[in-house]
Amino acid sequence: MTDHSAPTPADGTTPPHGSPSATGSGTTRTALPPAPVARKIPKERTHHGDTLVDDYEWLREKTDPEVLAHLTAENAYTDAVTAGQQRLRDTIFDEIKGRTQETDLSVPSRRHGWWYYSRTVEGGQHAVHCRVAAEGDGSELAHWEPPVIEPGVPLDGEQVLLDGNAEADGLPFFSLGSFAVSEDGGLLAYGVDSAGDERFTIRVKDLRTGEALPDVIEDTFYDAQFHPDGRSLYYTVVDAAWRPHELRRHVLGTPSSQDQVVARENDPGLWLGAEISANRRWLVVTSGNSEYSETRLQRLGSAEDPAGADGSVDGAFQIVIDRADRVLYDVEPVLLDGKDMFVLLHNRHAVNSAIALMDPADAGKPVAEQTWTPVVEHRTTVRLSGIASNRSHLFVAARKDTTERVQVIELAGLGTPEQRPETEPRFEEELYSASLVGAEYEAPVARLTYTSFLTPPRVYDYFPGLDGVAGTSDGPTDGSAALALALRKETPVLGGYDPSAYRAERAWATARDGVQIPVSIVRRADVEPDGNNPVIQYGYGSYEISIDPSFSVARLSLLDRGVVFVVAHVRGGGELGRPWYEDGKKLAKRHSFTDFVDVTDYLVESGWADPARIVATGGSAGGLLMGAVANLAPSRYRAIVAVVPFVDALTTILDPELPLSALEWEEWGNPITDPEVYAYMRDYSPYENIAPVAYPRIAAITSLNDTRVFYVEPAKWVARLREVGTGSEPIVLKTEMDGGHGGASGRYEKWKDTAFQYAFMLDALGVA
């Protein structure tokens, strides 16, 4: 395909590398320091007869003072290059802050006689988690109508469970992982990451006295949950490769060194996770990856209701479907007419998944010998991706026409001729996202969230079985109303936001192999496809993750400046079902990259984009996408912003000792054992394919303590881009020295990160 002409500044000149005129309109023309030059220490790597020399692998030594000095110098260079954007950054930060109701709260959720919610307060970086006693025993519909709480005004009887601002005081980083309350409401277990490396320290608080218990469990993963007896809790830990591999049980009041290993996963290509079932009767332990899984269930009991046949409190583990059968499935234990049954979401002979009912007596048999009763048959047009339940209903996460939605099925009659058809909340917008937040087991209501590109996040209570339509602000209060969907809250946008002033629409771009690629186009209503618009094009395209419509207060700062914001839903994501994902992974991965470029061409040809003013952006695996398109079509883009980018993919996947590498083989293939996979990745991995061409302006943004994509990947990438590239545009590396995969902690710091990225992109587009 023919490249568009290389973009140039508005005055038509080509500025020298690093000059102020290349980095910000209105910048005082002062000399900038030279870009840092990383020392070259050649290191050879040979696989399948192919030898590569890597001059910058030494940057991986995180504790090396020379590495830290280099990253510090890179930050100083970034500050100097982007100094002219500071006023714009401040303006964008103020715009985000000015549109956000800083003192706000979540919609309370009822559980075991309490309403739980969180508050934010002006000036506070983190949430304050609270609860207040609920009225009634939950037997009436009215008992499930959340109390009205005024932002900033404590409710009578309000109890603060955890103040994130107080917990974060004095820490360089603060992230809350697990947050679990015991069944009786007396204990809170919570995990804190104070470094950004996603390793959490669990502590336990007595909510009756406010005192901290002596129990402290270090180096855990996200999930901690109490055993129904309230005397112990489960948690998972990661191995050296940052893979959750052990489930442990901690008995309160005992040293963590004595914690029991309940389950262990030794296969380096499988991830272990655990949860207590919705009906609190089962411990569900799953080992899996993106292609198959194995779930083990343990019946939980108490001294009064032992689960084991020998009178033991907990029963023995039983495998549901053995991993040898290579079925990808989830299990939701339910009670049907007082009998335990297993609901399966599975991909057996069902690429988009189907739902079936299994008798626990069949668990552990070879899958060919098991009897499954169909609940929801496979459909080529609907992707089923998740299940949950409460006492009366099954909730299904479904994707149809690219849109995420929630379908609901009554448990009564499930798997019989009397089974009732699924229902679905109805919404008016074409492009939206609806998902289940939670379904408390005893509740007659399910909590949903809804958002779109134009609609701020809404919280609804959905009353299955009642007829109604979306849009009401008054929910059922006594069971006699006929409204199925009750709006509990819409996130306020300050400053007079008018959704009618903006437009969001779906377009379809034709890929070079003829496939139709969904494209989301968001703009101000008065912006027309006249060929003159600045465009920011975003993409991801991995792990079957869909980039669904969602509202962004920050994005208004782009739209209000006339920018057209575009999402390229490239192959490798999940927007069009499992086949869309499978056509963008392993030996089809290049489809993700060419799709992105083909969407760019469509935007130009359709008039949505000025060919000289297109910025590409993506993060993590979307950062791999950015690195690949930079090599594939560098002249298409005025600038590229890559956040925590996976740009040294081949090096990472070739080392099974690095975090997550072995788990990634199911996504990319295994280049260690498969020469075809090696050659394929060798041909697209961004770092190895940097060429002597004029690259566009590039910002690589990373965090020193990121455990998912190491800082070294963008650090090496930037060093080699500067060495090999022939262009004059600045290439900068910004490292958050106290952050993780999500950047800095705290909402104000995240707004600053967003402002930095937006100012960099707007400056490149000439919309400063």
Side-chain angles (χ1 to χ4, degrees), residues 348-355 376-382 384:
R348 187 180 179 224
H349 309 309
V351 65
N352 273 335
S353 295
I355 299 176
V376 178
E377 299 280 6
H378 174 259
R379 292 165 287 182
T380 59
T381 58
V382 180
L384 307 180

Side-chain angles (χ1 to χ4, degrees), residues 463-527:
F463 297 79
L466 297 180
D467 295 326
V469 296
T472 177
S473 59
D474 299 314
T477 57
D478 58 10
S480 61
L483 299 175
L485 204 57
L487 177 62
R488 298 307 189 193
K489 179 179 180 178
E490 179 174 303
T491 300
V493 180
L494 306 183
Y497 169 67
D498 178 9
S500 68
Y502 305 88
R503 297 286 183 272
E505 60 191 70
R506 170 59 43 77
W508 297 86
T510 301
R512 58 195 67 186
D513 61 359
V515 170
Q516 294 295 294
I517 310 163
V519 182
S520 296
I521 299 174
V522 189
R523 69 189 197 282
R524 211 172 53 210
D526 60 353
V527 172

Side-chain angles (χ1 to χ4, degrees), residues 198-218:
E198 298 182 77
R199 285 173 168 82
F200 298 86
T201 297
I202 296 174
R203 292 180 169 82
V204 181
K205 180 179 180 180
D206 189 328
L207 297 178
R208 293 157 295 206
T209 65
E211 298 296 320
L213 300 186
D215 304 78
V216 177
I217 312 169
E218 298 181 337

Side-chain angles (χ1 to χ4, degrees), residues 179-254:
F179 188 90
V181 178
S182 60
E183 294 289 298
D184 64 2
L187 298 173
L188 167 68
Y190 64 98
V192 171
D193 169 13
S194 59
D197 59 3
E198 298 182 77
R199 285 173 168 82
F200 298 86
T201 297
I202 296 174
R203 292 180 169 82
V204 181
K205 180 179 180 180
D206 189 328
L207 297 178
R208 293 157 295 206
T209 65
E211 298 296 320
L213 300 186
D215 304 78
V216 177
I217 312 169
E218 298 181 337
D219 290 327
T220 73
F221 197 52
Y222 282 92
D223 48 349
Q225 46 208 319
F226 282 98
H227 187 287
D229 66 11
R231 297 191 292 268
S232 61
L233 60 86
Y234 296 103
Y235 64 94
T236 52
V237 297
V238 297
D239 60 13
W242 198 74
R243 176 183 66 96
H245 74 121
E246 280 187 358
L247 175 69
R248 298 179 184 176
R249 183 174 179 177
H250 173 76
V251 177
L252 296 178
T254 66

Side-chain angles (χ1 to χ4, degrees), residues 267 269-271 287-294 328 578 663 666:
D267 188 331
L270 297 178
W271 180 303
S287 296
N289 54 37
S290 66
E291 298 190 343
Y292 63 92
S293 57
E294 178 182 87
L328 183 63
R578 183 76 179 190
L663 288 168
E666 298 302 327

Side-chain angles (χ1 to χ4, degrees), residues 562-687:
V563 172
V564 178
F565 182 82
V566 174
V567 180
H569 301 281
V570 300
R571 279 173 279 188
E575 287 86 350
L576 292 174
R578 183 76 179 190
W580 192 250
Y581 165 53
E582 293 179 344
D583 202 21
K585 66 181 291 193
K586 291 189 174 178
L587 295 178
K589 187 61 204 171
R590 285 182 65 89
H591 285 156
S592 302
F593 315 142
T594 56
D595 281 359
F596 191 89
V597 176
D598 292 343
V599 168
T600 302
D601 289 343
Y602 163 79
L603 295 171
V604 173
E605 293 161 4
S606 62
W608 282 116
D610 176 345
R613 293 201 296 165
I614 304 172
V615 169
T617 184
S620 196
L624 166 67
L625 176 63
M626 293 301 100
V629 300
N631 292 333
L632 189 63
S635 65
R636 298 289 211 290
Y637 305 102
R638 185 71 183 93
I640 292 176
V641 174
V643 183
V644 291
F646 185 43
V647 284
D648 193 17
L650 186 57
T651 303
T652 297
I653 302 303
L654 283 170
D655 188 348
E657 300 302 318
L658 291 179
L660 302 180
S661 288
L663 288 168
E664 296 289 323
W665 294 336
E666 298 302 327
E667 181 72 18
W668 317 100
N670 187 344
I672 300 174
T673 60
D674 191 331
E676 184 181 14
V677 170
Y678 175 87
Y680 190 79
M681 292 191 70
R682 171 71 174 82
D683 190 52
Y684 75 67
S685 184
Y687 180 64

Side-chain angles (χ1 to χ4, degrees), residues 93 96-105 119-124 151 492 494 747-748 751:
F93 176 87
I96 298 171
K97 189 171 183 286
R99 293 188 182 105
T100 303
Q101 184 165 301
E102 297 179 71
T103 298
D104 204 359
L105 71 156
R119 292 183 177 275
T120 56
V121 296
E122 184 172 357
L494 306 183
R747 56 177 176 167
Y748 296 109
W751 294 349

